[in-house]
Amino acid sequence: MTSNQYNLDLEVTEVEAAKAVDFGSYDHIIVAFSGGKDSLACLLHLFDLGVDREKIELWHHDIDGREGSTLMDWPVTRDYCRKVAQAFNLPIYFSWKQGGFEREMTRDGTATAPTMFETPDGLQSRGGQGKPGTRLKFPQVAADLKVRWCSAYLKIDVGSVALRNQDRFNGKRTLFVTGERAQESTSRARYKVFEPHRTHGNKRHVDHYRPVHGWSEEQVWEIIRDYRVAAHPAYALGWGRLSCACCIFGDDNQWASHRVVLPEAHADVVKYENSFGTTIHRQKTITERADSGTPYEMDPALIELARSEIYDLPIIVDTWALPSGAYGPASGPT
């Protein structure tokens, strides 16, 4: 079955989708690459499926943007992602909302910021106009993306703006690949493996493919082990999931560990909670949560690496070891 004949609304397993999708029919295959285990597994699985690497490009969304904020991201993430792309000889393009998470969170009667995105022809900017709005609080722990606005505004919308505003996708077939897994949450379990992407139409054919949707975490780590790819340092520090360094879903132990690894950013989170008068977790402040937790046992050298903006270790390693954070609390969407 070719992808032209494939029923995009049909709910199928990832195995059936892999058989049904005609990868050769696509002009562009974009992997939304956070640097985390699931997006890495997506990329490696495409290799296993024999997808033409000349068509693959990685897209990474900088949560903090490029205007000086250091509140949310792991400092090393950007360069880790860049080094993964180099290791597999793939292009990588970065995108972000100007001012990042911090500017969006502190909006007070102002419009959302423009979206910046790298292209083969250079950096572009779109948007930043609209009705003024006010947030002045952290996104709240919830499955609803209107409440947990960080994912919608800083990842999903940013990627969509970049897709809609590049002529190179017009009249072409594009496959957009993301790493959500059903095991992560009841909400993600309802996602389809293959469906039209939200940017599909108006000169563009864009499909959305979730190749590891039905995978267990064990399968994810197995393919990373098979390719001997060093995981992001956060996993070796004890984090079970790579998102923001201070993800709003973090449990008490993760917040206690965050206070050790990134004390400056942690202090800023506390400052914002106090100024907003609204806690992230509603019942406890971040300080109370960190005080209730126990920091992970962390190698000081890995702490320094995670705090650095340069990832200077090999991506492909001779001896691969499962990081200590594997199979730990995911601290992610519910």
Side-chain angles (χ1 to χ4, degrees), residues 14-33:
E14 69 277 2
V15 174
E16 292 169 328
K19 292 179 180 178
V21 177
D22 180 8
F23 295 100
S25 72
Y26 291 98
D27 302 285
H28 305 280
I29 298 177
I30 299 167
V31 179
F33 191 69

Side-chain angles (χ1 to χ4, degrees), residues 139-152 156 180 184-191 241 248-249 280 282 332-334:
Q140 301 293 287
V141 173
D144 186 349
L145 294 182
K146 294 180 181 178
V147 178
R148 179 171 53 92
W149 51 263
C150 46
S151 292
I156 298 170
E180 299 95 340
E184 293 179 291
S185 71
T186 54
S187 294
R188 292 190 172 190
R190 292 192 289 269
Y191 289 178
R241 179 175 177 267
I248 63 171
F249 286 98
I280 294 173
R282 297 184 180 90
T334 55

Side-chain angles (χ1 to χ4, degrees), residues 19-190:
K19 292 179 180 178
V21 177
D22 180 8
F23 295 100
S25 72
Y26 291 98
D27 302 285
H28 305 280
I29 298 177
I30 299 167
V31 179
F33 191 69
S34 69
K37 65 182 186 300
D38 298 327
S39 58
L40 179 57
C42 285
L43 175 64
L44 301 178
H45 185 51
L46 293 180
F47 295 163
D48 275 357
L49 294 173
V51 174
D52 184 356
R53 297 194 189 192
E54 293 294 321
K55 296 183 177 182
I56 298 175
E57 55 190 74
L58 306 185
W59 283 20
H60 178 80
H61 308 313
D62 282 324
I63 302 303
D64 280 329
R66 299 286 183 92
E67 291 73 37
S69 177
T70 57
L71 185 67
M72 302 298 288
D73 268 330
W74 289 98
V76 78
T77 292
R78 187 184 305 153
D79 198 50
Y80 172 81
C81 292
R82 188 179 291 113
K83 296 296 172 54
V84 170
Q86 291 175 359
F88 293 106
N89 196 28
L90 299 171
I92 184 167
Y93 299 102
F94 293 87
S95 52
W96 62 93
K97 187 170 283 287
Q98 198 174 83
F101 179 102
E102 198 164 7
R103 175 172 170 176
E104 179 64 27
M105 181 177 66
T106 56
R107 277 206 292 140
D108 187 6
T110 57
T112 191
T115 294
M116 314 295 294
F117 54 97
E118 294 179 344
T119 77
D121 299 319
L123 183 65
Q124 296 193 32
S125 174
R126 293 291 189 281
Q129 299 175 351
K131 295 181 179 179
T134 298
R135 292 200 185 276
L136 296 181
K137 65 179 179 180
F138 279 91
Q140 301 293 287
V141 173
D144 186 349
L145 294 182
K146 294 180 181 178
V147 178
R148 179 171 53 92
W149 51 263
C150 46
S151 292
Y153 271 75
L154 302 171
K155 296 180 182 179
I156 298 170
D157 288 354
V158 166
S160 296
V161 169
L163 266 169
R164 289 190 178 107
N165 290 282
Q166 294 187 61
D167 290 343
R168 66 191 180 107
F169 299 119
N170 293 344
K172 305 292 184 180
R173 292 176 56 83
T174 301
L175 187 65
F176 196 81
V177 179
T178 60
E180 299 95 340
R181 290 188 301 115
Q183 191 182 56
E184 293 179 291
S185 71
T186 54
S187 294
R188 292 190 172 190
R190 292 192 289 269

Side-chain angles (χ1 to χ4, degrees), residues 242-282:
L242 183 74
S243 52
C244 294
C246 56
C247 179
I248 63 171
F249 286 98
D251 62 15
D252 292 356
N253 293 339
Q254 185 167 302
W255 281 112
S257 304
H258 179 260
R259 185 163 60 184
V260 172
V261 177
L262 295 166
E264 300 89 351
H266 191 90
D268 285 340
V269 172
V270 172
K271 177 192 68 176
Y272 276 125
E273 265 201 345
N274 290 336
S275 67
F276 297 154
T278 304
T279 63
I280 294 173
H281 293 271
R282 297 184 180 90

